[in-house]
Amino acid sequence: MSGRQSMNATPAGSRQRRIDRVAYLFLAPFLALFLVFTVLPIVLAAYDSLFTVRYSGLGLGGGTLRFVGLDNYATALTSPDLLLGVLRMTAFGLVQVPVMLGIALALALVFDAVTSRLYSVLRTVYLLPYAVPIVIGTLAWGFLYTPRTSPLSGAVAALGGPNDLFDDSIVLWSMGNVVTWSYIGINMTILYTSLRGLPRDTYEAARLDGAGELRIAWSVKTPQLLPALIMTTVMSIIGTLQIFTEPTILRNLTPTISSTYTPNMTIRTIAIGQQNPQLAAATAIVLAAVIFVLSFGFLALVRRRSTP
């Protein structure tokens, strides 16, 4: 009896090993690309950040690469440009991310209540900004913001705002409008997809209890979307601190956006403008650590509040 069981177990075990080998074979291209284009650059950046180039005399000759340990990190951590950029983008995210996700959630709840055919049309409309290249979308909004041609500045001035949408007091939120316009569609699609996967019987039970559609949306659907909302919030936090294209494009249209306006712009300025890739590598790693702390800090806060 035991011999028959062992004979049956052996083919099953070999079959599982074959399945595992096939799975690893399919994963191999992704793992290779991930190692080459993600892990290896991080390792090289970490290694490069421990050195600096020193020049002798008038600096006319070639520089010498010297090991400086954590000196570049000390310089990055005390950089006022990096600190101001992180604080600016944090304030930006505290306003822009809730507004963007709030609109995306409202759209997802509305689309869940309409027919699937109408949703297909509306989804295409709201996903179009995400399909438009960021450079083209930002340029289009930039020309809409230009004081001489802007059809929006008069409306903003009528509401008590500045006549110039590139004014220093409002340019950050003008940029926030571009970011929100670009990413509402993809976040709405993620939330709507999660919403369609929820059990429908809970809605019917709520209706039998006398709940209206608004009550069902707020008290039944939204709490069940918490995992999707957490995921989109973390993605938005990461994206906020990595904003680069929008302010870089708008900088060509206004002097109120400096070359160190965001953390990634600061890194680019250090690497290209100051010709110091070693310090830029250290600054990038510091920024990655800040993003890690904020993202996982948000997750820890959500987990603590959800734990009874």
Side-chain angles (χ1 to χ4, degrees):
M1 184 71 176
S2 60
R4 181 177 300 178
Q5 289 178 349
S6 62
M7 290 176 63
N8 292 335
T10 301
S14 61
R15 189 183 306 114
Q16 183 62 44
R17 286 193 293 271
R18 285 198 301 271
I19 294 174
D20 293 341
R21 285 196 292 267
V22 172
Y24 286 128
L25 182 63
F26 279 104
L27 284 173
F30 165 77
L31 293 175
L33 292 174
F34 179 76
L35 289 173
V36 172
F37 293 104
T38 302
V39 176
L40 183 59
I42 293 174
V43 173
L44 292 177
Y47 175 79
D48 205 27
S49 67
L50 302 176
F51 296 85
T52 191
V53 176
R54 298 282 173 81
Y55 296 92
S56 58
L58 298 176
L60 299 177
T64 303
L65 191 65
R66 296 185 180 179
F67 178 80
V68 293
L70 300 179
D71 287 357
N72 286 327
Y73 291 94
T75 303
L77 288 170
T78 57
S79 169
D81 291 331
L82 179 63
L83 177 61
L84 184 59
V86 170
L87 291 177
R88 182 183 289 118
M89 287 299 99
T90 301
F92 173 87
L94 288 174
V95 176
Q96 188 269 335
V97 170
V99 169
M100 177 181 65
L101 294 183
I103 297 174
L105 174 61
L107 290 173
L109 292 172
V110 169
F111 291 166
D112 186 56
V114 301
T115 62
S116 58
R117 181 176 299 179
L118 181 58
Y119 166 72
S120 299
V121 176
L122 296 175
R123 178 188 60 186
T124 302
V125 171
Y126 280 97
L127 274 177
L128 278 177
Y130 185 72
V132 174
I134 297 177
V135 173
I136 296 176
T138 306
L139 279 174
W141 277 105
F143 286 114
L144 289 175
Y145 291 156
T146 302
R148 294 181 181 179
T149 60
S150 175
L152 306 175
S153 57
V156 175
L159 295 174
N163 191 46
D164 183 3
L165 295 178
F166 284 136
D167 186 81
D168 187 59
S169 62
I170 200 175
V171 66
L172 183 63
W173 311 117
S174 297
M175 185 178 72
N177 176 65
V178 179
V179 176
T180 302
W181 174 82
S182 299
Y183 293 100
I184 276 183
I186 187 63
N187 285 293
M188 178 271 297
T189 302
I190 293 172
L191 295 175
Y192 176 80
T193 303
S194 300
L195 194 59
R196 298 300 292 179
L198 298 178
R200 316 301 289 185
D201 54 352
T202 55
Y203 309 160
E204 298 301 328
R207 290 189 183 96
L208 291 175
D209 288 340
E213 292 302 319
L214 288 177
R215 182 68 175 177
I216 292 173
W218 179 252
S219 300
V220 179
K221 295 181 179 180
T222 301
Q224 296 185 78
L225 283 178
L226 185 60
L229 285 170
I230 293 173
M231 182 188 71
T232 51
T233 300
V234 172
M235 291 169 54
S236 300
I237 291 173
I238 295 172
T240 296
L241 289 172
Q242 291 182 328
I243 287 178
F244 176 79
T245 304
E246 293 87 351
T248 301
I249 298 299
L250 294 177
R251 184 170 178 263
N252 297 315
L253 304 175
T254 174
T256 56
I257 297 179
S258 66
S259 61
T260 57
Y261 198 74
T262 68
N264 268 344
M265 292 178 71
T266 299
I267 294 170
R268 178 183 181 274
T269 299
I270 295 172
I272 299 176
Q274 300 177 12
Q275 295 292 308
N276 194 341
Q278 292 79 23
L279 179 58
T283 307
I285 293 175
V286 169
L287 176 61
V290 171
I291 294 174
F292 178 86
V293 169
L294 291 179
S295 301
F296 281 86
F298 170 77
L299 289 174
L301 178 63
V302 171
R303 189 180 297 113
R304 180 179 300 176
R305 292 198 170 187
S306 61
T307 302

